[in-house]
């Protein structure tokens, strides 16, 4: 299995400030057929299902605000919220979809400082 | 817009079989080339992928649950289903169904249904 490790477990950021979440995979998730990383980021608010933010490690899903960005390649990835808004309070998960079993990171809880 | 809705018993007795159904609306479950997945999330914990069924009917399961899981599809009802046998309290969770696209595995989600395993 590919193990996904997120850090930190929780993060408190002031409104308008940057939030950075890291995700490390136990092996590369680079898909050789198209040279893209099969890594997604999800946002989950209380009582709701997760919502896809980023796929291919850096492509924003339609409708996702541009303050959310993804970067990284191979085994190390980052989700950045450039200017934290109140509605961004949530738990964020990374997920690899290179091979089954599909696996998620443990989640990072983002709160307002 | 594709919509998914989970349904099934909210309480299951230990050692019994958990059975859930995901009803798809806004599109045919047999059209296109998509994976239809089940996931779960214990209260206050992270997400676990249980398994998926492809439009063709082929399946993939999480090895950690494979011996107890069956996912099937009923195209006539536009539904796919999950059966998890020999449940214990550790199987208590919110269960989600989800559909992928060609660029990500979980784009469309159901709202989730809480299943509690208890006598």
């Amino acid at each position: 299995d590919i193990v996904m490790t997120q850090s930190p477990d929780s993060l408190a950021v002031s409104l308008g400030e940057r939030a950075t979440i890291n995700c490390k995979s136990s092996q590369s998730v680079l898909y050789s057929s198209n040279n893209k990383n099969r890594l997604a980021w999800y946002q989950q608010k209380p009582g709701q299902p997760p919502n896809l933010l980023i796929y291919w490690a850096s492509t924003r899903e339609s409708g996702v605000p541009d303050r959310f960005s993804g970067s990284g390649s191979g085994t190390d990835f980052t989700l950045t919220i450039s200017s934290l808004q109140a509605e961004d309070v949530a738990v964020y998960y990374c997920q690899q979809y290179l091979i089954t079993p599909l696996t998620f990171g443990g989640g990072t809880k983002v709160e307002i400082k | 817009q594709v919509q998914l809705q989970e349904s099934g018993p909210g309480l299951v007795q230990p050692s019994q079989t958990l059975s859930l159904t995901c009803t798809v609306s806004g599109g045919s479950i047999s059209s296109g080339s998509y994976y239809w997945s089940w996931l779960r999330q214990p209260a206050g914990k992270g997400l676990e992928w249980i398994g998926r069924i492809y439009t063709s009917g082929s399946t993939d399961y999480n090895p950690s649950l494979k011996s107890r899981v069956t996912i099937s599809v009923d195209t006539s009802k536009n539904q796919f289903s999950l059966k998890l046998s020999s449940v214990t309290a550790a199987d208590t969770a919110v269960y989600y169904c989800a559909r992928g696209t060609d660029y990500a595995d979980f784009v469309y989600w159901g709202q989730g249904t809480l299943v509690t395993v208890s006598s």
Side-chain angles (χ1 to χ4, degrees):
Chain A
D1 299 8
I2 297 179
V3 177
M4 308 299 291
T5 303
Q6 285 183 235
S7 62
D9 292 336
S10 63
L11 184 61
V13 176
S14 300
L15 288 172
E17 295 300 305
R18 180 185 300 261
T20 302
I21 300 168
N22 300 302
C23 175
K24 188 174 184 66
S25 56
S26 61
Q27 64 189 75
S28 175
V29 297
L30 182 65
Y31 187 43
S32 57
S33 295
N34 62 5
N35 205 39
K36 293 183 178 182
N37 292 278
R38 293 181 76 95
L39 188 285
W41 289 96
Y42 295 84
Q43 175 194 63
Q44 187 177 31
K45 297 181 180 180
Q48 296 183 19
N51 180 49
L52 177 67
L53 296 176
I54 302 283
Y55 58 93
W56 296 131
S58 60
T59 304
R60 262 189 309 276
E61 171 69 324
S62 175
V64 173
D66 61 6
R67 64 180 179 274
F68 291 93
S69 64
S71 62
S73 184
T75 61
D76 292 280
F77 301 91
T78 300
L79 175 70
T80 301
I81 310 172
S82 61
S83 176
L84 191 75
Q85 305 299 303
E87 62 264 33
D88 301 333
V89 169
V91 178
Y92 294 83
Y93 295 94
C94 61
Q95 179 245 331
Q96 67 80 20
Y97 51 107
L98 180 67
I99 60 171
T100 59
L102 308 175
T103 49
F104 292 83
T108 296
K109 186 174 185 178
V110 174
E111 300 173 307
I112 304 296
K113 183 187 292 183
Chain B
Q1 178 80 344
V2 174
Q3 293 186 318
L4 296 87
Q5 180 65 58
E6 306 89 350
S7 59
L11 181 65
V12 180
Q13 303 248 348
S15 79
Q16 299 302 302
T17 296
L18 178 160
S19 295
L20 295 175
T21 296
C22 182
T23 300
V24 178
S25 58
S28 171
I29 199 169
S30 56
S31 67
S33 299
Y34 303 118
Y35 283 112
W36 303 86
S37 284
W38 286 97
L39 306 94
R40 68 182 184 178
Q41 185 173 38
K45 297 190 178 181
L47 295 154
E48 179 180 33
W49 174 73
I50 298 170
R52 65 187 181 186
I53 188 163
Y54 193 54
T55 308
S56 65
S58 64
T59 53
D60 296 305
Y61 298 130
N62 192 324
S64 67
L65 298 167
K66 187 174 183 177
S67 64
R68 299 194 290 133
V69 172
T70 302
I71 296 175
S72 60
V73 64
D74 186 337
T75 56
S76 67
K77 295 182 179 179
N78 225 33
Q79 297 174 334
F80 66 108
S81 298
L82 168 70
K83 291 188 185 298
L84 180 65
S85 64
S86 305
V87 297
T88 69
D91 295 309
T92 294
V94 174
Y95 285 75
Y96 294 102
C97 57
R99 198 205 87 177
T101 64
D102 57 350
Y103 57 83
D105 282 299
F106 314 120
V107 178
Y108 303 99
W109 293 75
Q111 283 302 302
T113 187
L114 174 62
V115 179
T116 301
V117 178
S118 175
S119 56

